[in-house]
Amino acid sequence: MPRPQPSDPYADLADLVLNVARLIRLRTPAEPAVVPLTATERQVMRIVDLDPGCAPSRIAERAGLQRTNVSTALRGLEAKGMLTRTGHGRSVTVHPTELAQANLGVLRGAWSALLADLLGDVDPATIARCNETLAHLERRFAGDE
């Protein structure tokens, strides 16, 4: 029989965040209008959506990815019509396309419907505090705070 783990709020939070993210992905309805992305491409697009015009080196830094993996993801995303790269050498910048913005809009709509259905009875102020805490955590991971 497994030994129960001692309560640790930080470990519990990490475990819950990872599991909830997995469940959201599993329960997001397959939309024909959504361009399928790999896990690395999703990470890269999140950063490009939050920081249009960023450099590939900044994407690698924020995502904690190897530069070669970012380059591979950028090529794949460009081939899928999700982003454009401008400039040359170290002055390359990355921008989402209209297709990427539409893709994100469809996904956000599906996520909103899913979570509204599951959390409709939760006080909106509680949801806002949760969002603020997770956004703060994300900024800390990105080195923005």
Side-chain angles (χ1 to χ4, degrees):
M1 185 163 167
R3 260 180 38 198
Q5 296 293 313
S7 180
D8 177 337
Y10 298 109
D12 293 346
L13 176 62
D15 181 55
L16 287 166
V17 166
L18 291 168
N19 196 45
V20 168
R22 182 186 64 80
L23 291 169
I24 289 171
R25 272 198 203 99
L26 285 174
R27 294 190 183 173
T28 299
E31 298 278 348
V34 172
V35 176
L37 304 178
T38 67
T40 302
E41 289 172 341
R42 280 193 304 269
Q43 270 186 291
V44 168
M45 277 311 305
R46 171 122 170 88
I47 294 163
V48 172
D49 286 328
L50 292 173
D51 189 10
C54 61
S57 58
R58 178 70 175 142
I59 295 169
E61 179 185 311
R62 286 191 71 174
L65 295 170
Q66 295 291 324
R67 178 83 159 114
T68 54
N69 293 343
V70 170
S71 294
T72 301
L74 290 174
R75 280 192 302 278
L77 289 163
E78 206 168 26
K80 292 175 182 180
M82 299 294 284
L83 58 79
T84 59
R85 290 188 272 188
T86 58
H88 294 77
R90 294 193 181 270
S91 63
V92 170
T93 58
V94 182
H95 301 270
T97 62
E98 287 183 22
L99 175 61
Q101 292 168 349
N103 202 57
L104 183 58
V106 170
L107 285 171
R108 288 180 59 86
W111 296 334
S112 180
L114 173 65
L115 294 184
D117 186 46
L118 294 170
L119 298 174
D121 59 340
V122 176
D123 175 31
T126 299
I127 303 230
R129 282 192 306 278
C130 183
N131 288 342
E132 289 168 13
T133 300
L134 291 172
H136 177 72
L137 182 60
E138 182 180 46
R139 288 190 303 273
R140 287 276 179 99
F141 271 115
D144 294 340
E145 281 189 9

